[in-house]
Amino acid sequence: MLLSGRRKLRGWGGVAGMAAACMLAVSATALPLHDQADTAAGRDTPLRTQNKQVSATDTSCGQHPEASLTPSTASGPAVDRIKKAGKLVVGVDQNSYRWGYRDAASGDIVGFDIDLVKAIAKDILGDENAVQYKTVPTSKRFEAIRKHQVDMVVRTVTINCQRITEEKVAFSTAYFQAGQQLLVPRQGSTIKDFNNTLNGKKVCTAKTSTGQAKLEEQPHGSHIVLVDNQLDCLVLLQLGEVDAVFTDNALAAGQAAQDPAVHLVGKPATTEYYGVAMNSGDTDLVRRVNQVLENYRSGGTGSQWEQAYRTWLKAVLPGIDGPPAPLYKNG
Amino acid sequence: MKTDKGAGRWGRKIHALPMRIVSICGHTADQEIDPAYAGSVQGGGSVTQTQYSGRPGDGVDVIASATGSDAPRRRPAWAEQPGRLREAATTEPGRLRVIGALLAVLVVAFGAVTAWQITDRAAAADNVVNRSEPLSSRAADIYRSLADADTTAAGGFLAGRQDPADARKRYNDDIRIASRYIAEAAAASEGSDQAKAQIEKLNEQLPVYTGYVERARANNRLGYPVGGAYLRRANTTMTQEILPAAKELYRIETARLGADYADAKALPWAAWGLGVLALGALVWAQRRSYRRTNRVFNQGLVAGSAATAVVLMWLVVGHSLARIQLNDSYVNGARSLQVLNTARIESLQARANENLTLVARGSGASYNDAYRAELQDLAGKGANGKTGLLAQALSMADDAKGRDTVKTAMKAAQAWWALNATARKDDDSGEYQDALARTIGGNLKSGQKAAQYTAQCFDAVDTNLATAVAHEHTAFQRSANDGRGALGGLAAGAALLAVLGAAGAALGIGRRLSEYR
């Protein structure tokens, strides 16, 4: 019984282990006459799980989740798989204006993210159109990666530790630096920045977004209005039902591009990096994409990155000097 | 068959009797009555003082004379009443008077109650045909037009930056029809607070809805994805505010239809009971008369019984026929109309959600789920055609034409289900253009025109259901009108016959009474 309990604890990892340990510790102190073996196990388990958790954090995440594997053009099983299939299967968004969306006139999917996808396809397969764009719902995008339903997801995915450790996905180096920022009407708005000018205002953000977490942490006296889709916030802003939208400045810029009567104000309240999300087992693919990104960024103002930026984003998200510098892990 | 001694057949005897009785009881005759009586005896003299211009021997005048016979020994008013009651209970003329009065009252009451209950039921049947069913149909039309508008708006949106002219026209027609019918429903539903509340909600929300649709269109023309967000919001307003109100209005109007049906079909127990009672009393009175006089027939009572029996038969047969016809109109008309209307709306909503799945571009999982649920409500699990609204409508269809239309709709729904699965697969694997072509028509990625697309299936479902609705509506009207017709004239006829019957009974008793004079 004791053995099976321990095995379970190890298998469940940090959270469950800690909870079990706390329970055992409490029972050990509350019941001094408790069986000796149980107390010993209680002492034993938390030490082990804690060590494991720390070591896991040390190796795969930590201060810089955006640090990725070093670039390489060497082929491995994942790159060979893609080459054999003859097409790159990519999970994209069709609804993020300027990033990845269906052009209403041509019906084609276009945007800043899509340009990057094309560059990757061209590098691996020699054809920028050898891409199968898969529409994956936001809630299923990491599952699709884990199950190899897609080779990668390129849809303004923010790199963070939770996604690396719990969702078990690997990220490329950062290809864009974004942050949560406020979008307000150009006329008549008293909101200047993510500060107390928000007092008493209604602020819209998408459910389970980084924006929601940040607003709940520092509401500055605002009332939070939650919607399912970030674009619904623009609808509410246009209808005058909210005073501001708080979302990724990248997405907010896409919203501003659809309505000249609104604009971004203040500075980003957070710092987030977008990366290409891939299966953590496909290390050769991660290195390959990082190599593509190296080339994509190089060339100064004439780089592919700058071209894409000018085409899709500069008008609505001006003042960005260039791509974020890549960060690599040792080894 | 027994006959009166020395009296021969009816006619002669009846004429002969009063003369003889008068000769026996003549001495008690009151002075006031005398002239009238004399008149009748003399056979053809002018009769002016009595209210019943008596043919000789019809005896009614004699009732009056018998009442008057107490006059010479008139007592104080306080003593008179108990005296009369005692007399009524103990003497045969008194009893006869009581019996006559009771019979007359019973038969008249029977007629009156029949007329009243049947008038009620005829009015309810009339309401079924002329008021509640049209209102229920109108509510269904409102519901359907609104759902159709939403479906059409989403479909037009998918076609690209500019929505096609026919889609726009259909949307505009839907909104116009819905607005007009809502105004009509408001005028027709005075008195029903429940219905009013729903109509108010419809009036409030419809302009909001059309506002969103126009914003969606304007943004879509500019190529802005926020147009899709507006369309989704419009759809949310439609499905969460407007359609529930329209559905509730339909439910209220249909409940009223059900109540009218119940009123029209309610068994007229009181009339039946009184009819049986009146007839029983008449038979008893005749039996009593036979026992005492040994005369088999009392003409008046026989006539009264006959009239009462006719009214009772007419009541039972007429109302039963009406019930059968109304039941038929309910089962084959109103009920299948409800199922067909519900099926039509379900197919419209399924279509709207199918369109919105594509409008939502990748975040349309919830719309796709809704579509799947609705189409399976329509055509059964996995569109197997065994359960669901169409199967229900098929089992209710009462003739080959009705069945054929529903069967065609079912086939179209099954084809729709299969074709949508292909379109979904296309969309999920990134072939949006193929998915779109298989949904609204147009060119596939290969450049070929999509041979089959779900819009065709939806249209087939919709038009066939529309035909089925029209067909069932005709069947309903025919049966309901027949049912209403079966009650025609019954109320007036019952009243008239009951008066005749009561007169007959009174006359019959009067005939007997006159024998005591």
Side-chain angles (χ1 to χ4, degrees):
Chain A
M1 188 208 144
L2 230 168
L3 273 173
S4 70
R6 271 198 213 171
R7 209 176 294 139
K8 211 173 178 182
L9 284 174
R10 265 185 232 156
W12 274 29
V15 181
M18 285 301 280
C22 287
M23 264 166 55
L24 284 169
V26 166
S27 60
T29 43
L31 303 164
L33 296 175
H34 210 271
D35 187 278
Q36 203 64 35
D38 273 4
T39 320
R43 233 179 256 138
D44 196 21
T45 316
L47 279 173
R48 207 177 291 181
T49 44
Q50 257 173 2
N51 281 343
K52 199 178 169 191
Q53 197 175 23
V54 169
S55 73
T57 316
D58 274 344
T59 52
S60 60
C61 207
Q63 287 289 306
H64 294 287
E66 72 275 20
S68 183
L69 299 173
T70 48
S72 162
T73 50
S75 280
V79 174
D80 288 344
R81 188 186 69 224
I82 292 163
K83 280 184 173 165
K84 203 178 161 198
K87 62 180 179 184
L88 187 66
V89 184
V90 191
V92 293
D93 195 353
Q94 302 185 61
N95 233 354
S96 296
Y97 195 50
R98 304 275 163 166
W99 289 88
Y101 69 102
R102 289 267 170 207
D103 181 58
S106 68
D108 289 337
I109 189 160
V110 292
F112 186 84
D113 278 342
I114 307 305
D115 281 4
L116 177 57
V117 170
K118 286 181 172 173
I120 296 168
K122 181 146 196 196
D123 182 78
I124 298 175
L125 298 162
D127 177 6
E128 66 169 25
N129 291 320
V131 183
Q132 183 181 355
Y133 294 103
K134 267 202 171 182
T135 307
V136 285
T138 312
S139 56
K140 297 263 172 72
R141 54 191 171 168
F142 299 123
E143 187 189 317
I145 292 171
R146 279 198 302 275
K147 291 186 174 169
H148 272 128
Q149 290 164 347
V150 293
D151 296 317
M152 56 187 64
V153 169
V154 188
R155 48 172 290 178
T156 61
V157 186
T158 301
I159 304 168
N160 69 31
C161 283
Q162 184 263 341
R163 289 167 181 177
I164 294 167
T165 55
E166 287 175 34
E167 302 283 359
K168 312 276 183 221
V169 293
F171 285 99
S172 71
T173 52
Y175 66 90
F176 197 86
Q177 183 185 333
Q180 301 289 318
Q181 208 172 335
L182 286 160
L183 185 75
V184 299
R186 279 184 195 273
Q187 288 183 326
S189 178
T190 54
I191 298 169
K192 302 294 171 211
D193 203 348
F194 192 68
N195 57 24
N196 55 14
T197 55
L198 285 175
N199 195 15
K201 304 291 183 191
K202 282 185 266 185
V203 182
C204 180
T205 192
K207 269 178 206 158
T208 71
S209 68
T210 326
Q212 183 191 354
K214 184 74 181 172
L215 267 177
E216 279 168 359
E217 188 192 314
Q218 295 170 279
H220 292 298
S222 64
H223 307 288
I224 307 172
V225 177
L226 294 174
V227 294
D228 287 325
N229 186 312
Q230 47 94 13
L231 207 48
D232 296 336
C233 277
L234 180 60
V235 168
L236 293 184
L237 189 65
Q238 288 184 345
L239 294 173
E241 290 178 28
V242 296
D243 302 300
V245 178
F246 190 57
T247 183
D248 277 17
N249 55 4
L251 297 174
Q255 297 185 6
Q258 301 177 53
D259 184 355
V262 301
H263 67 161
L264 286 160
V265 291
K267 289 185 186 65
T270 59
T271 301
E272 288 163 31
Y273 294 101
Y274 293 160
V276 177
M278 286 158 283
N279 190 299
S280 53
D282 294 346
T283 48
D284 59 320
L285 185 63
V286 175
R287 290 179 198 277
R288 182 68 175 256
V289 168
N290 282 343
Q291 184 59 55
V292 174
L293 279 169
E294 281 291 321
N295 304 336
Y296 200 68
R297 281 184 289 249
S298 68
T301 52
S303 70
Q304 286 173 283
W305 192 96
E306 288 285 352
Q307 283 171 25
Y309 170 70
R310 280 195 297 272
T311 308
W312 301 110
L313 301 175
K314 192 167 186 185
V316 286
L317 206 60
I320 292 175
D321 301 329
L327 204 60
Y328 295 108
K329 286 186 247 189
N330 300 325
Chain B
M1 181 171 161
K2 274 187 170 173
T3 46
D4 287 35
K5 280 178 228 160
R9 292 276 163 195
W10 270 29
R12 250 193 305 148
K13 192 187 90 186
I14 284 168
H15 282 282
L17 265 172
M19 305 254 236
R20 208 177 63 205
I21 291 167
V22 166
S23 66
I24 295 167
C25 320
H27 64 280
T28 59
D30 191 85
Q31 286 301 313
E32 283 171 42
I33 300 300
D34 263 342
Y37 173 58
S40 59
V41 170
Q42 280 147 23
S46 76
V47 179
T48 49
Q49 279 117 320
T50 49
Q51 59 185 109
Y52 298 110
S53 61
R55 282 193 313 279
D58 71 6
V60 172
D61 49 347
V62 185
I63 294 176
S65 75
T67 314
S69 66
D70 286 343
R73 289 178 274 124
R74 195 170 284 278
R75 287 169 291 177
W78 57 268
E80 197 166 331
Q81 209 58 28
R84 280 194 181 187
L85 284 173
R86 200 179 313 118
E87 188 199 36
T90 53
T91 70
E92 180 59 13
R95 282 193 211 107
L96 280 175
R97 275 197 290 272
V98 170
I99 289 167
L102 277 179
L103 285 179
V105 165
L106 264 178
V107 176
V108 166
F110 169 51
V113 168
T114 302
W116 162 58
Q117 290 201 310
I118 291 304
T119 305
D120 257 16
R121 279 149 187 76
D126 200 56
N127 277 342
V128 165
V129 178
N130 288 328
R131 199 193 57 150
S132 48
E133 200 285 332
L135 277 179
S136 163
S137 287
R138 273 293 148 91
D141 285 341
I142 292 171
Y143 194 7
R144 193 201 56 77
S145 321
L146 290 169
D148 196 79
D150 199 42
T151 307
T152 312
F157 199 86
L158 283 175
R161 287 196 174 186
Q162 164 126 36
D163 47 348
D166 56 340
R168 205 166 47 238
K169 183 180 179 303
R170 182 164 169 173
Y171 170 84
N172 289 341
D173 286 349
D174 282 334
I175 296 293
R176 207 182 52 239
I177 289 170
S179 309
R180 194 201 302 151
Y181 287 179
I182 289 168
E184 281 181 18
S189 70
E190 81 280 348
S192 167
D193 285 345
Q194 270 184 306
K196 250 189 222 159
Q198 305 308 323
I199 290 166
E200 257 168 41
K201 199 165 181 189
L202 290 174
N203 273 328
E204 267 169 33
Q205 293 295 323
L206 193 56
V208 176
Y209 171 80
T210 53
Y212 290 150
V213 170
E214 294 313 323
R215 275 177 181 250
R217 279 185 183 157
N219 277 291
N220 197 40
R221 285 183 88 97
L222 293 166
Y224 294 158
V226 74
Y230 271 110
L231 196 71
R232 289 202 308 276
R233 194 178 169 86
N235 171 262
T236 307
T237 307
M238 180 56 84
T239 51
Q240 286 177 13
E241 307 278 340
I242 300 178
L243 288 183
K247 190 176 185 176
E248 182 60 13
L249 183 66
Y250 179 53
R251 194 196 61 74
I252 292 166
E253 300 295 8
T254 309
R256 192 144 41 157
L257 174 65
D260 282 341
Y261 262 116
D263 286 349
K265 283 164 47 182
L267 292 173
W269 287 113
W272 286 5
L274 272 171
V276 169
L277 204 63
L279 204 57
L282 281 163
V283 167
W284 172 80
Q286 283 172 91
R287 196 173 152 75
R288 187 177 181 278
S289 162
Y290 164 70
R291 286 225 171 126
R292 285 171 189 245
T293 64
N294 222 19
R295 285 191 296 258
V296 176
F297 292 116
N298 176 310
Q299 211 178 20
L301 287 178
V302 167
S305 306
T308 308
V310 166
V311 175
L312 190 57
M313 289 269 284
W314 191 358
L315 170 67
V316 170
V317 172
H319 189 253
S320 299
L321 267 178
R323 271 171 67 90
I324 290 167
Q325 295 288 0
L326 284 172
N327 215 38
D328 191 53
S329 81
Y330 180 69
V331 173
N332 294 324
R335 210 155 54 103
S336 44
L337 270 177
Q338 280 168 37
V339 172
L340 286 169
N341 277 323
T342 313
R344 222 175 150 196
I345 285 151
E346 205 74 15
S347 81
L348 281 165
Q349 289 194 285
R351 179 65 185 167
N353 280 310
E354 186 188 28
N355 287 338
L356 281 166
T357 308
L358 288 174
V359 170
R361 307 221 160 105
S363 42
S366 59
Y367 295 112
N368 191 41
D369 291 348
Y371 154 82
R372 290 174 63 88
E374 281 149 5
L375 202 65
Q376 293 187 86
D377 277 351
L378 194 67
K381 201 167 164 52
N384 62 8
K386 290 194 177 67
T387 52
L389 289 161
L390 288 178
Q392 220 179 319
L394 190 62
S395 71
M396 283 178 177
D398 51 334
D399 58 18
K401 188 171 181 281
R403 271 191 296 276
D404 283 349
T405 27
V406 177
K407 270 184 198 160
T408 317
M410 174 80 86
K411 277 195 193 115
Q414 288 173 319
W416 181 2
W417 179 257
L419 209 52
N420 170 271
T422 318
R424 252 341 36 244
K425 225 159 118 191
D426 289 338
D427 194 25
D428 286 346
S429 53
E431 304 300 338
Y432 177 80
Q433 197 181 337
D434 285 0
L436 190 66
R438 286 190 217 285
T439 305
I440 62 164
N443 285 345
L444 295 162
K445 206 178 173 190
S446 61
Q448 283 181 313
K449 262 202 171 324
Q452 283 180 304
Y453 46 98
T454 56
Q456 297 168 321
C457 307
F458 160 71
D459 282 340
V461 171
D462 194 51
T463 45
N464 276 292
L465 285 179
T467 311
V469 164
H471 179 71
E472 291 298 332
H473 198 252
T474 316
F476 158 80
Q477 281 183 322
R478 203 186 319 117
S479 304
N481 273 324
D482 286 353
R484 192 173 54 149
L487 296 176
L490 177 49
L496 185 70
L497 279 172
V499 168
L500 291 177
L507 284 172
I509 294 295
R511 252 316 256 105
R512 281 275 293 118
L513 205 55
S514 62
E515 289 167 6
Y516 290 91
R517 199 151 289 146

